[in-house]
């Protein structure tokens, strides 16, 4: 079925990464078929969550896991879980728990905006954010002074290319929180290929978007200690009702984890390198453009392509080129956070060679003289 024709929609080429306003990722046929079959079936949902927990454990070695609607909801629900535990009355009344401590410490540079402010996820749990350190960084002593407050309930860390400033060291930060009896939640939304690394620092749970590189239907995974996972899932009797995972999402997650377990990472990396080289070679012969690969700043196992635009040689500057690509047919979207430096950044992971050729063609067509 061609959805673009049937519903009058615009096909796009997404070189912007796992970007929510463009549909985030592309599921494999196996995952898409599993999710579609789930839509026509009934299940015992607790059994689906149980299987998800087993699959998550088999995948990354954590004691337990569960599926929520997405990571934004997993942040809210895991913080709410710290406030309610398994107490049914607290769960039913949250987030209005005026007697229950509610301060969540996070490094100032981890107060990211991934389409909205992460601090809003904290507020939805009836909690309040306490920023440690400043935009330049967060030292151990900044964390210690923020954590030394009886109203603090947990530490939230973010592993993302969106964080700012240096530090803190995650191992050290977890130690400081645990020394005070406080659990640690890590938002690793786009870090599914590094979950084991993130768990290794001792955090109580790591939150991952299953619809990013795992490419399942929309879903958030909470991965970690059993108590934390159970109390987070228990929020479905309270505020979690509005943030629950669908049956098709949980089945899609199971299929996507199966595929991840079978993934030949060496081969996958070669495919990614081949795509980067294909586009870099095309860019290399266009006057005014220079291509360069950029390794992922947080350690995901793939690179992105930077294209530096010399306006004199190319006939347009980076900003004009990005809008021309967006305004063409089909629209081509890329990362625009470094346009001021004259740089376009493209993520090619979900793209086909056909789409990459289309990007190369358009870069040629838009050059001065065409
Ligand atoms: C994408 C992202 C989120 C939100 O994830 P969803 O599953 O789409 O809600 C949260 N934090 C970071 C750092 C992200 O990159």
């Amino acid at each position: 079925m061609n959805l673009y024709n049937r519903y009058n929609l615009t096909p796009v080429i997404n070189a912007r990464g796992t970007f929510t306003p463009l549909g985030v990722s592309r599921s494999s046929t196996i995952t898409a078929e599993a999710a579609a079959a789930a839509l026509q079936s009934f299940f015992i949902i607790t059994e689906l969550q149980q299987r998800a927990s087993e699959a998550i454990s088999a995948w990354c070695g954590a004691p337990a896991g569960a599926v929520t609607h997405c990571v934004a909801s997993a942040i809210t629900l895991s913080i709410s879980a710290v406030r309610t535990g398994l107490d049914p009355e607290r769960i039913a009344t949250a987030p209005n728990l005026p007697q229950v401590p509610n301060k969540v410490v996070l490094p100032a540079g981890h107060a990211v905006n991934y389409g909205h402010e992460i601090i809003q996820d904290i507020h939805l749990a009836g909690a309040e954010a306490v920023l440690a350190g400043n935009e330049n960084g967060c030292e151990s002593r900044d964390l210690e002074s923020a954590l030394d407050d009886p109203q603090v309930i947990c530490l939230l860390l973010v592993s993302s290319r969106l964080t700012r400033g240096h530090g803190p060291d995650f191992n050290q930060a977890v130690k400081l929180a645990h020394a005070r009896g406080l659990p640690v939640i890590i938002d690793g939304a786009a870090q599914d290929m590094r979950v084991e690394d993130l768990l290794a620092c001792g955090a109580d749970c790591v939150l991952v978007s299953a619809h990013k590189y795992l490419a399942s239907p929309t879903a958030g995974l909470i991965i970690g200690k059993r108590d934390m996972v159970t109390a987070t899932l228990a929020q479905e009797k309270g505020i979690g009702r509005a943030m629950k995972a669908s049956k098709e999402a949980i089945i899609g997650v199971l299929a996507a984890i199966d595929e991840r377990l079978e993934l030949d990472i060496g081969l996958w990396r070669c495919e990614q390198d081949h795509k980067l080289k294909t586009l870099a070679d095309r860019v290399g012969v266009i006057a005014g453009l220079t291509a360069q690969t950029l390794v992922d700043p947080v350690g995901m196992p793939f690179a992105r392509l930077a294209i530096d635009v010399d306006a004199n040689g190319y006939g347009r500057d980076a900003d004009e080129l990005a809008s021309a690509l967006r305004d063409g047919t089909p629209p081509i979207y890329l990362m625009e956070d470094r346009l001021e430096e004259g740089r376009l950044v493209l993520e090619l992971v979900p793209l086909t060679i056909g789409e990459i050729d289309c990007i190369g063609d358009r870069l040629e067509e838009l050059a001065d003289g065409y």
Side-chain angles (χ1 to χ4, degrees), residues 179-194:
R180 291 159 177 80
L182 299 168
V184 180
I185 300 166
I186 298 182
D187 168 4
Q191 305 291 309
D192 56 273
M193 300 180 106
R194 297 183 56 243

Side-chain angles (χ1 to χ4, degrees), residues 20 70-72 112 114 158 160 162 187 189 209 211-212:
T20 303
C70 63
V71 163
V112 294
Y114 54 81
V158 179
S160 163
L162 302 174
D187 168 4
S209 297
H211 47 276
K212 290 187 174 171

Side-chain angles (χ1 to χ4, degrees), residues 174-212:
V174 170
K175 280 203 187 87
L176 294 175
H178 283 177
R180 291 159 177 80
L182 299 168
V184 180
I185 300 166
I186 298 182
D187 168 4
Q191 305 291 309
D192 56 273
M193 300 180 106
R194 297 183 56 243
V195 182
E196 280 139 316
D197 291 354
L198 294 175
L199 286 167
C201 70
D204 295 75
C205 64
V206 174
L207 313 178
V208 169
S209 297
H211 47 276
K212 290 187 174 171

Side-chain angles (χ1 to χ4, degrees), residues 20 24 66-78 114 116 121 124 187 189 207-212 216-222 232 236 240 242-246 249 253:
T20 303
V24 195
V67 188
T68 64
H69 180 71
C70 63
V71 163
S73 42
I75 296 167
T76 300
L77 296 178
S78 56
Y114 54 81
H116 84 148
D121 300 331
L124 276 172
D187 168 4
L207 313 178
V208 169
S209 297
H211 47 276
K212 290 187 174 171
S216 79
T218 303
L221 307 181
I222 167 162
T232 298
E236 289 196 353
M243 309 180 194
K244 61 189 172 294
S246 64
V253 164

Side-chain angles (χ1 to χ4, degrees), residues 29-351:
T29 306
I30 291 174
T31 294
E33 284 177 356
L39 286 168
Q40 300 186 307
S41 316
F42 292 110
F43 301 96
I44 299 166
I45 299 294
T46 51
E47 198 171 86
L48 284 184
Q49 286 283 11
Q50 183 55 38
R51 294 297 172 272
S53 182
E54 291 157 11
I56 289 167
S57 296
W59 166 38
C60 58
V67 188
T68 64
H69 180 71
C70 63
V71 163
S73 42
I75 296 167
T76 300
L77 296 178
S78 56
I79 293 168
S80 187
V82 174
R83 299 188 73 212
T84 66
L86 290 173
D87 181 336
E89 222 174 282
R90 283 191 178 188
I91 290 172
T93 343
N96 299 321
L97 301 166
Q99 312 305 329
V100 182
N102 74 340
K103 290 188 179 169
V104 174
V105 172
L106 77 162
H110 290 206
V112 294
N113 183 322
Y114 54 81
H116 84 148
E117 299 288 340
I118 193 171
I119 285 175
Q120 197 172 22
D121 300 331
I122 298 172
H123 291 167
L124 276 172
E128 175 182 322
V130 177
L131 300 183
N134 57 39
E135 290 296 306
N136 298 321
C138 176
E139 313 287 347
S140 289
R141 62 171 181 279
D142 299 321
L143 269 185
E144 288 188 275
S145 60
L147 292 168
D148 280 333
D149 172 341
Q151 291 301 305
V152 171
I153 56 166
C154 66
L155 171 65
L156 175 64
L157 299 171
V158 179
S159 177
S160 163
R161 53 181 196 92
L162 302 174
T163 60
R164 306 168 304 275
H166 65 84
D169 173 70
F170 278 29
N171 292 293
Q172 178 66 16
V174 170
K175 280 203 187 87
L176 294 175
H178 283 177
R180 291 159 177 80
L182 299 168
V184 180
I185 300 166
I186 298 182
D187 168 4
Q191 305 291 309
D192 56 273
M193 300 180 106
R194 297 183 56 243
V195 182
E196 280 139 316
D197 291 354
L198 294 175
L199 286 167
C201 70
D204 295 75
C205 64
V206 174
L207 313 178
V208 169
S209 297
H211 47 276
K212 290 187 174 171
Y213 299 99
L214 203 55
S216 79
T218 303
L221 307 181
I222 167 162
I223 303 175
K225 294 187 182 155
R226 189 167 295 281
D227 288 359
M228 193 74 188
V229 169
T230 308
T232 298
L233 206 50
Q235 303 302 307
E236 289 196 353
K237 294 261 191 298
I239 60 169
R241 174 72 195 196
M243 309 180 194
K244 61 189 172 294
S246 64
K247 60 184 177 181
E248 64 276 18
I250 304 176
I251 290 284
V253 164
L254 289 171
I257 291 177
D258 278 347
E259 287 189 85
R260 177 59 63 83
L261 289 173
E262 279 166 22
L263 182 72
D264 179 339
I265 186 78
L267 188 66
W268 185 84
R269 292 180 84 143
C270 284
E271 285 163 12
Q272 306 316 313
D273 288 346
H274 174 66
K275 288 191 265 184
L276 286 167
K277 187 176 181 312
T278 303
L279 190 55
D281 288 350
R282 296 278 311 261
V283 170
V285 296
I286 302 174
L289 299 186
T290 324
Q292 187 189 330
T293 52
L294 301 177
V295 299
D296 180 71
V298 200
M300 284 286 274
F302 60 84
R304 298 185 177 85
L305 195 74
I307 301 179
D308 291 311
V309 185
D310 167 21
N312 293 326
Y314 189 70
R316 313 170 190 252
D317 65 21
D319 204 37
E320 289 162 342
L321 176 53
S323 15
L325 289 168
R326 230 186 299 115
D327 292 343
T329 307
I332 296 169
Y333 286 81
L334 37 79
M335 294 179 170
E336 301 193 351
D337 43 334
R338 298 177 71 175
L339 290 182
E340 273 173 31
E341 301 162 49
R343 173 166 277 192
L344 314 180
V345 179
L346 293 88
E347 186 170 310
L348 306 180
V349 174
L351 299 189

